[in-house]
Amino acid sequence: MTTAGYGPTGAGQGPDDGSGGGWSDPARTAEAWDGPARPGPLPPRIVPPRGTAAPYPPPAIPGQAPVPGQAPVPGQAPVPGQAPVPGQAAWAPPPNAGQWGGPAPVPGQYPPVHGQQPAPPAGPVAPPSVPGPAYPPQGASAPGWPAPTPPARPARGRALTLVTLGLAVVLALVAGVQAYQIHRLSDRLSGTDQRQAAAQQGDGTRLDDLDQRTQTLERQAGAQFNPEAVASAVLPSVFRVRAGQFTGTAFAVGKPASGGGTNLFTNFHVVESVWESGGREVFLERTDQRYPATIVKVDEANDVAHLRTTSKFTGLVTASAAVKSGQQIVVVGAPLGLQDSVTTGVVSAFREAKQGSGPVIQFDAPINPGNSGGPVINGQKQVVGIATAKARDAEGIGLAVPIKVACDGFRIC
């Protein structure tokens, strides 16, 4: 059963702590009431409006100095020299205290039931053991007690997050720039390698061309006529020969003789007097030295004689190709007994054999008596003929036996 304005009815129901006491049911009859007659209807319950009542801070412990933010015990003087907590209202009894005709209720307890005297407290009431300032009831707010606000996100964490993101972006940009630069450097290095390879190939081609040109120039230089070089190579193998009362020239040719020594060529008319007299010994002279030699064989028709000496000398090389007109030559001999004489000229013509005489080489190098038997040398330092005679009453007409004729007749070249 419910009654408007009084809340639930029945034993144990009402504003107490569930211990069995509470508000009496006003609908009960006077016969059911054990105590004195009901004085009248209960006044309405006064509840402070939400958001206007001052909060109830937890009471302080009796005999202990009040904690900042904590209400003092009723009837206890504040500690001298201690200021009240700023922004906190002083504790006051609830507005309906003493309305029931009795003493003010003890903080923390409900008002007594009608017709029941409150029991005096046996001792001081222990305050709640919750330290710190008191909080207003849930859903109520009062001046001096701001409503709790949700905790804000720490600004430091947000700043660190932003810094981290910024660093990540910067690192990404740096990595991208470096990758682009590395790509460009790779392209440039590749291009440089290609250019270097092309340059090396071009250098190799130029070097090959230079080598070919050098070889060509060397061949041309070798083919170029150099009388000094020819004379220097030939003179050690050329001698002045004395055969009785006659003087001429002889030169070493070919390989060394089979029994040792050196083979030489000269003209038959140089040693003719010794050969006709039955003698065979002649002498070779060079730089104040004299070497004996022997007449081995003679060819009267071609005016050639074969000599041999036991001394060793370097034989000259004979030319295998026939001479041509205009070819430059060097003639070495001892004209009028003057050894190591050198003259130069060109081949004027190659004359074939006529009227019983053999072929001859005509040249314009000056020769004189004593040059007979001397070698005629081309620009390659090869013997092309044996100087034999000169035309009388004429200048620049010399004659020589082709070296091939002498080599074919004596087989010593």
Side-chain angles (χ1 to χ4, degrees):
M1 179 178 181
T2 58
T3 304
Y6 291 95
T9 62
Q13 296 182 5
D16 68 351
D17 56 358
S19 60
W23 301 102
S24 300
D25 189 354
R28 292 184 180 180
T29 60
E31 290 79 11
W33 185 263
D34 293 335
R38 183 173 59 181
L42 294 177
R45 186 179 180 181
I46 301 174
V47 180
R50 294 181 179 269
T52 58
Y56 291 87
I61 301 174
Q64 182 178 355
V67 181
Q70 186 177 33
V73 179
Q76 181 178 355
V79 179
Q82 182 174 7
V85 178
Q88 181 176 0
W91 182 89
N96 59 349
Q99 190 175 359
W100 311 104
V106 180
Q109 292 186 357
Y110 287 99
V113 182
H114 288 285
Q116 183 180 359
Q117 297 295 328
V125 179
S129 59
V130 180
Y135 291 92
Q138 185 175 4
S141 60
W145 294 90
T149 56
R153 187 176 182 180
R156 183 177 180 182
R158 184 178 302 174
L160 288 176
T161 303
L162 294 177
V163 170
T164 303
L165 291 176
L167 289 177
V169 172
V170 171
L171 290 177
L173 291 177
V174 171
V177 171
Q178 289 182 348
Y180 175 70
Q181 291 179 351
I182 291 173
H183 180 69
R184 288 190 62 190
L185 288 176
S186 300
D187 293 341
R188 293 176 63 184
L189 288 175
S190 177
T192 302
D193 292 339
Q194 293 178 358
R195 289 192 297 271
Q196 185 175 3
Q200 290 178 353
Q201 184 176 2
D203 292 340
T205 304
R206 286 193 293 271
L207 288 176
D208 294 340
D209 294 341
L210 289 176
D211 290 339
Q212 293 178 359
R213 292 181 61 184
T214 301
Q215 295 176 1
T216 302
L217 291 175
E218 288 178 351
R219 289 193 296 268
Q220 292 176 355
Q224 189 176 6
F225 184 68
N226 188 349
E228 181 180 0
V230 173
S232 298
V234 171
L235 283 175
S237 301
V238 179
F239 304 90
R240 181 175 60 190
V241 59
R242 287 189 179 273
Q245 299 298 321
F246 295 90
T247 302
T249 303
F251 60 94
V253 65
K255 298 178 181 179
S258 59
T262 305
N263 293 315
L264 299 96
F265 275 138
T266 187
N267 284 139
F268 170 70
H269 70 266
V270 174
V271 298
E272 182 178 2
S273 61
V274 175
W275 179 263
E276 290 293 340
S277 63
R280 298 291 184 269
E281 186 179 26
V282 295
F283 294 94
L284 305 176
E285 297 177 347
R286 177 171 178 73
T287 62
D288 299 332
Q289 293 183 357
R290 197 171 189 185
Y291 307 96
T294 301
I295 303 173
V296 178
K297 186 179 179 182
V298 296
D299 182 1
E300 297 182 10
N302 293 307
D303 196 14
V304 179
H306 173 204
L307 307 179
R308 182 178 294 168
T309 180
T310 57
S311 300
K312 294 182 179 180
F313 301 101
T314 302
L316 299 179
V317 179
T318 59
S320 57
V323 295
K324 297 180 179 179
S325 298
Q327 185 177 1
Q328 292 178 308
I329 57 170
V330 173
V331 179
V332 182
L336 303 177
L338 302 173
Q339 62 182 355
D340 297 339
S341 295
V342 178
T343 58
T344 61
V346 296
V347 173
S348 300
F350 181 81
R351 304 297 180 182
E352 297 291 343
K354 292 181 180 179
Q355 298 177 358
S357 62
V360 294
I361 298 173
Q362 178 184 343
F363 57 90
D364 67 347
I367 59 173
N368 292 285
N371 282 112
S372 296
V376 178
I377 313 296
N378 61 16
Q380 287 74 39
K381 305 172 187 178
Q382 298 172 347
V383 180
V384 296
I386 301 173
T388 299
K390 63 172 291 187
R392 297 178 180 180
D393 301 331
E395 298 294 335
I397 299 178
L399 301 174
V401 177
I403 192 64
K404 187 177 183 302
V405 174
C407 290
D408 292 342
F410 295 94
R411 305 288 181 182
I412 60 174
C413 299

